[in-house]
Amino acid sequence: MRNILLVFKKEVKSYFSSPVAYVVIAMFLIITGYLFYGLFAYFSTISFQAQIDPALARQARLLNITESVIRPLFGIISMIILIMTPLLTMRLFSEEKKTGTIELLLTYPITDLQVIVGKFFACMFVLLVMLVLSFIFPGLVIYFGEPEIGPIVSGYMGLILLGASFVSFGIFASSLTENQIIAATISFGVLFLFWMLGLSIPFVGPALGKFIDYISITHHLESFAKGVIDTEDIIYYTVFTLLFLFLTLRTLESHRWRG
Amino acid sequence: MIEVENLTKFYGNFQALKGISFTVEKGEILGFLGPNGAGKTTTMRILTCYFPATAGRARVAGFDVFEDAIEVRKRIGYLPENVPLYRDMTAEEYLRFVAGIKGVPSREITKRVERVMDDCGITHMRKKLIGELSKGYRQRVGLAQALVNDPEVLILDEPTIGLDPKQIIDIRRLIRDLAGRRTVILSTHILPEVSMTCQRVIIINDGRLVAMDTTKNLTARLQGNYRLIVKVEGPREAVIETLKKIKGIESVEPAGDGKNGGVTELVLNMDKRMDVRRDIPVAIVNNGWGLLEMKPIEMSLEDIFVKLVTKE
Ligand SMILES: Nc1ncnc2c1ncn2[C@@H]1O[C@H](COP(=O)(O)OP(=O)(O)O)[C@@H](O)[C@H]1O
Ligand SMILES: [Mg+2]
């Protein structure tokens, strides 16, 4: 436990002593802010027009601030997290391999698992900072309107779980190579594929479609954003996260055996 | 303290270690000598539990490096070849981190870190990022991290490589001072380093152990001109016969290619206690041959090394 905490602290310090974390967090907030502004502005225009156009006023969905601002906002945030996490995870093992520091780290009295878990939580910490800061946007909605609180809470829960699986996969990719760019490209590429899987559902058979729907990352976020906390979704993200942390462990071990 | 038995390591199909066995006693400083690619780093990485051997056993302080890796690691301070340290941490931060991981109790960390910084002469550099330190100071930080948990065993892989002459002298002195009652293995491909810092030497080449001796014995072989090279104008067989009869000459080896038009070139191994340099010319002249050259062969550690290493 102490070892995990030490690795955690070291990695967090390292994130915040270089510009990486700040740049990633700033870009995340800028993009989210811009898209949020778009959603919010569109919503105000519609609501304003609804006052003079009774036909529009009957479309309850458009006029529900949870439906038309909060829910798409979670979609946007999850997409930007997908772009940003590979930038946070890419260095975690690649850099240690490239500079050789992994040799010392792995000859200290610490297990490979403790190293992985420490690094995982350090990256999750940066992600949490990002998510906490992103709360300004739903916060504004709460301030100006009356959205349902339930979906906001469950939506954030979903984002944390989703983030954990992104981080876990990113760490795995980082353990595969000593080249950070390759690590980032692999994690971005594969996560994006998982993301896009949902789009292919209409073109495949119903059985395969159901399967693809299940393994697709987005599918599981949707219910969270609707305010539904389903154990099936929690299990999906947890298994995804643990699976890739486990594969990272195996990668480190196999590197050892090969020398 | 360290027992290595028939250690073998394959990298894929390439065999880097071909069965190495040796032991190191408690408190001993062992030099691990060999040319580049001999397998020094590989052996050390197995001893420090960085990766397992393909076959064979190694025990450190009574613990098997494979079965009880964590116990072994707790007792070892390791300085890898290129001193890989986190460049984005300050020397002090880094040492505190390592002290924690190596299990130094929280309330003793400050004391221990102060101590090793002082021992290694980096106290005034504590707030500097490691990436900004000179190679010499980085080496000291590397030594400090190895020592921070006061380990019983120190394993140093080419600790002076890439340093300038002054830094080399400083680091060697530091190693000797800090060794104390610790057991130390120090690898190098530079010979004088061994004679300056180590009590016993192991020479490895191409994954095999080629010699093991005390530094004293190895250097003793350097002293005195106990080997002579002579060039004699005369019939080869007869010259060899004559010289063999001189008391004090232990053996006669042919040297040169022997195609030197009637000139016989020989190496004479001599008993160090007898000076026969006067008897040789007398014997040769008495036979009516000509003595063209006679000079001592200064055996340096380099020669011993080259000889041992090229024997196969
Ligand atoms: N990771 C590796 N993969 C393949 N071959 C390696 C690896 N590490 C070392 N070798 C080879 O093993 C041999 C011994 O290397 P090493 O132990 O580093 O020698 P030394 O430290 O004595 O210079 C060398 O021929 C080297 O090329
Ligand atoms: Mg080496």
Side-chain angles (χ1 to χ4, degrees):
Chain A
M1 195 59 210
R2 185 188 185 207
N3 285 346
I4 294 176
L5 200 68
L6 283 161
V7 174
F8 170 81
K9 277 203 253 174
K10 178 202 156 285
E11 293 295 342
V12 168
K13 235 189 221 168
S14 159
Y15 272 124
F16 288 100
S17 66
S18 77
V20 177
Y22 300 105
V23 172
V24 167
I25 292 174
M27 286 318 291
F28 167 78
L29 290 176
I30 291 170
I31 302 173
T32 312
Y34 175 74
L35 294 172
F36 170 76
Y37 173 77
L39 287 172
F40 203 72
Y42 180 68
F43 176 73
S44 343
T45 320
I46 298 273
S47 341
F48 185 70
Q49 280 173 3
Q51 287 174 352
I52 42 176
D53 181 353
L56 203 60
R58 258 174 266 123
Q59 297 196 314
R61 207 176 153 269
L62 276 182
L63 293 175
N64 179 323
I65 198 162
T66 305
E67 291 275 334
S68 53
V69 178
I70 297 291
R71 225 193 299 164
L73 181 66
F74 281 120
I76 288 168
I77 293 181
S78 62
M79 185 72 199
I80 304 170
I81 289 180
L82 186 143
I83 300 168
M84 295 300 174
T85 38
L87 302 176
L88 292 176
T89 52
M90 66 180 187
R91 52 170 281 279
L92 286 173
F93 279 104
S94 303
E95 195 181 30
E96 298 236 22
K97 284 174 126 182
K98 180 141 205 159
T99 58
T101 49
I102 193 143
E103 181 171 356
L104 266 180
L105 187 60
L106 297 187
T107 52
Y108 290 145
I110 180 171
T111 62
D112 296 3
L113 185 64
Q114 289 168 335
V115 172
I116 294 172
V117 172
K119 284 176 184 271
F120 170 77
F121 280 111
C123 194
M124 281 308 287
F125 179 80
V126 181
L127 197 73
L128 283 182
V129 171
M130 252 158 82
L131 289 178
V132 167
L133 291 174
S134 79
F135 193 75
I136 334 167
F137 306 117
L140 283 174
V141 178
I142 293 172
Y143 186 75
F144 287 113
E146 277 166 6
E148 299 165 54
I149 299 299
I152 297 182
V153 173
S154 64
Y156 267 102
M157 235 184 96
L159 285 179
I160 292 171
L161 288 168
L162 176 94
S165 34
F166 288 174
V167 169
S168 166
F169 188 83
I171 289 181
F172 170 64
S174 180
S175 75
L176 295 176
T177 166
E178 57 177 51
N179 184 318
Q180 298 192 29
I181 305 296
I182 293 179
T185 311
I186 292 176
S187 47
F188 178 73
V190 172
L191 290 178
F192 195 66
L193 258 176
F194 264 98
W195 185 276
M196 300 291 285
L197 274 177
L199 297 183
S200 63
I201 293 170
F203 314 109
V204 297
L208 191 58
K210 204 158 174 238
F211 174 71
I212 289 179
D213 196 34
Y214 184 74
I215 63 166
S216 136
I217 288 187
T218 21
H219 163 82
H220 294 274
L221 188 70
E222 276 160 15
S223 39
F224 278 108
K226 281 183 205 148
V228 182
I229 298 175
D230 191 336
T231 40
E232 192 185 284
D233 301 321
I234 296 180
I235 289 171
Y236 171 83
Y237 287 125
T238 312
V239 168
F240 192 103
T241 306
L242 293 181
L243 173 68
F244 284 103
L245 290 182
F246 174 72
L247 290 179
T248 311
L249 188 64
R250 297 319 299 261
T251 314
L252 289 191
E253 272 169 14
S254 80
H255 278 297
R256 290 203 153 170
W257 283 100
R258 271 184 277 135
Chain B
M1 192 50 127
I2 299 172
E3 302 149 68
V4 172
E5 252 174 72
N6 211 6
L7 219 52
T8 308
K9 176 75 187 178
F10 278 90
Y11 291 114
N13 286 326
F14 176 76
Q15 191 172 11
L17 292 186
K18 298 167 181 163
I20 287 193
S21 308
F22 62 90
T23 56
V24 191
E25 298 303 324
K26 195 165 163 53
E28 198 175 19
I29 304 186
L30 177 83
F32 213 63
L33 195 59
N36 279 326
K40 304 182 292 295
T41 302
T42 305
T43 311
M44 295 190 143
R45 285 180 167 171
I46 294 169
L47 286 178
T48 53
C49 323
Y50 180 55
F51 50 51
T54 313
R57 272 156 56 89
R59 294 165 72 80
V60 176
F63 294 99
D64 188 280
V65 291
F66 184 64
E67 311 281 338
D68 292 310
I70 295 285
E71 291 303 319
V72 170
R73 292 175 191 183
K74 277 185 195 160
R75 290 165 174 79
I76 282 185
Y78 176 37
L79 178 63
E81 193 163 354
N82 296 311
V83 201
L85 306 174
Y86 297 109
R87 306 175 66 90
D88 60 350
M89 291 173 101
T90 67
E92 186 178 4
E93 260 173 9
Y94 179 58
L95 292 174
R96 296 187 69 93
F97 168 69
V98 178
I101 285 208
K102 286 188 167 186
V104 176
S106 305
R107 59 205 135 66
E108 283 170 35
I109 285 182
T110 307
K111 209 176 83 201
R112 255 332 279 177
V113 168
E114 293 294 332
R115 173 76 199 273
V116 288
M117 284 196 299
D118 190 40
D119 285 349
C120 298
I122 47 172
T123 310
H124 60 299
M125 295 285 178
R126 64 201 294 170
K127 298 277 181 244
K128 278 230 164 135
L129 291 182
I130 293 173
E132 292 168 357
L133 293 178
S134 70
K135 183 90 173 61
Y137 274 109
R138 240 180 294 149
Q139 206 81 11
R140 284 160 181 267
V141 177
L143 267 177
Q145 66 79 31
L147 288 163
V148 78
N149 58 329
D150 197 12
E152 297 169 63
V153 178
L154 265 186
I155 295 187
L156 312 173
D157 197 357
E158 311 227 6
T160 57
I161 204 166
L163 298 180
D164 67 36
K166 172 157 184 325
Q167 293 171 328
I168 290 180
I169 292 170
D170 290 348
I171 290 287
R172 278 183 195 151
R173 185 179 305 136
L174 197 56
I175 291 172
R176 242 173 320 165
D177 292 348
L178 296 178
R181 58 215 142 61
R182 284 182 248 272
T183 310
V184 182
I185 299 188
L186 179 153
S187 86
T188 177
H189 65 271
I190 312 162
L191 291 139
E193 187 146 297
V194 166
S195 43
M196 270 177 259
T197 24
C198 308
Q199 293 146 2
R200 209 155 57 92
V201 187
I202 282 179
I203 300 182
I204 66 166
N205 183 46
D206 194 21
R208 282 199 187 84
L209 203 138
V210 291
M212 179 155 43
D213 209 339
T214 59
T215 318
K216 239 195 206 143
N217 281 355
L218 274 185
T219 20
R221 287 203 227 164
L222 304 173
Q223 253 82 63
N225 36 359
Y226 68 108
R227 277 155 67 93
L228 286 179
I229 188 154
V230 291
K231 277 187 193 164
V232 181
E233 202 174 28
R236 197 176 180 84
E237 298 302 319
V239 172
I240 293 177
E241 275 314 302
T242 310
L243 289 177
K244 268 187 180 163
K245 280 190 204 123
I246 298 176
K247 222 170 150 230
I249 294 182
E250 283 177 342
S251 68
V252 180
E253 296 166 18
D257 53 9
K259 286 183 201 136
N260 207 352
V263 176
T264 306
E265 209 177 318
L266 300 169
V267 171
L268 312 178
N269 289 309
M270 295 185 302
D271 188 332
K272 228 183 288 175
R273 286 157 305 184
M274 281 186 243
D275 194 349
V276 291
R277 277 176 296 182
R278 200 179 299 272
D279 306 343
I280 295 166
V282 170
I284 287 170
V285 173
N286 281 350
N287 278 293
W289 305 320
L291 179 61
L292 303 182
E293 197 178 326
M294 177 171 103
K295 66 174 183 204
I297 303 176
E298 298 270 2
M299 266 292 256
S300 66
L301 254 179
E302 263 87 358
D303 295 324
I304 297 174
F305 186 46
V306 168
K307 193 161 172 260
L308 288 166
V309 157
T310 50
K311 203 162 55 183
E312 314 193 359

